[in-house]
Amino acid sequence: MTAIARTKKPQSPVTPPVVAAGVRSRTPRQDAGARLWGVLGRSGARNSRAVFHELLGLVTDCPPVDLYDAVEEGVPTAVVSVIAGAFGGTNESVMALIGVSETTFRRKHEASEPLPEVAGHRVMGFLRIVARLQRLLQESGDPAQLADFDLDAWVRDWMREPLAEFGGKTPAQMLRNPEGQRAIEELLDRMRGGLPA
């Protein structure tokens, strides 16, 4: 044995980093989806609009990493009928929005499997954008006028309106990929800041 090997100190076990008081350390959790999507299973006799707005509240309050985890765990097919009911549309119109064929949707629904991954990302993008639109309108409007304002109808119409900022595409078309979602968010930021869209 060499002198170096004899004098080498044994390594101590790795200790976790110290966390400042009041700061929770984050560990991977597998229940983000259950917390977020659980509202769909608890809907009972409530109408789709109430369930949808509770879901929007959860999306607004969740840290981004929890939204990521919820999508990774799988977006349930039940979200399609909740979105359709909240916006007075059909399941088929929501399937077209998120890019899922009726055959795929039916197969996933009957097997109690989540939506395909790409569709799950589009659902989350849609929820985040609607939550942002809702917050934008609430912050900029008169509360008395907003009491009688049909936000869901306004969002439904806005999502279907071709916009010059998107080269004549609708916000619904822009939801189909992350770059389009980012373009919508940038437009909403400009609207919030009062800059010309």
Side-chain angles (χ1 to χ4, degrees):
M1 201 179 249
T2 66
I4 295 174
R6 276 185 269 131
T7 59
K8 190 174 180 183
K9 293 182 180 178
Q11 292 187 357
S12 61
V14 177
T15 56
V18 177
V19 178
V23 176
R24 291 183 347 178
S25 64
R26 292 195 56 84
T27 57
R29 293 189 308 265
Q30 295 299 312
D31 60 349
R35 284 194 316 278
L36 186 64
W37 309 123
V39 67
L40 302 172
R42 294 189 309 266
S43 59
R46 295 184 310 153
N47 68 36
S48 294
R49 285 181 102 172
V51 174
F52 181 74
H53 285 282
E54 184 176 348
L55 185 58
L56 283 184
L58 292 169
V59 167
T60 300
D61 294 341
C62 276
V65 71
D66 286 356
L67 299 179
Y68 170 87
D69 290 343
V71 172
E72 289 295 305
E73 290 169 36
V75 178
T77 57
V79 75
V80 169
S81 60
V82 167
I83 293 171
F87 286 92
T90 63
N91 284 359
E92 291 74 18
S93 66
V94 177
M95 286 184 254
L97 176 72
I98 63 174
V100 174
S101 71
E102 190 172 342
T103 305
T104 299
F105 176 80
R106 188 176 23 252
R107 182 174 41 82
K108 295 284 190 180
H109 185 69
E110 289 170 358
S112 297
E113 294 176 354
L115 291 168
E117 185 178 351
V118 171
H121 288 287
R122 289 174 182 163
V123 165
M124 183 57 73
F126 174 77
L127 293 172
R128 285 181 39 249
I129 287 179
V130 173
R132 218 161 163 180
L133 269 170
Q134 183 180 43
R135 191 169 56 245
L136 175 70
L137 291 171
Q138 288 170 342
E139 290 173 355
S140 64
D142 176 12
Q145 289 178 331
L146 286 175
D148 296 326
F149 183 70
D150 188 349
L151 173 68
D152 296 336
W154 186 89
V155 170
R156 181 185 63 232
D157 294 344
W158 186 81
M159 292 295 284
R160 296 173 179 163
E161 182 180 342
L163 299 177
E165 295 84 0
F166 302 146
K169 294 178 188 67
T170 67
Q173 290 171 308
M174 297 295 286
L175 279 174
R176 294 189 65 83
N177 71 48
E179 295 308 317
Q181 293 172 19
R182 189 171 295 117
I184 295 172
E185 290 172 353
E186 288 175 3
L187 174 63
L188 296 180
D189 285 342
R190 290 197 304 272
M191 289 167 62
R192 184 177 192 177
L195 298 174

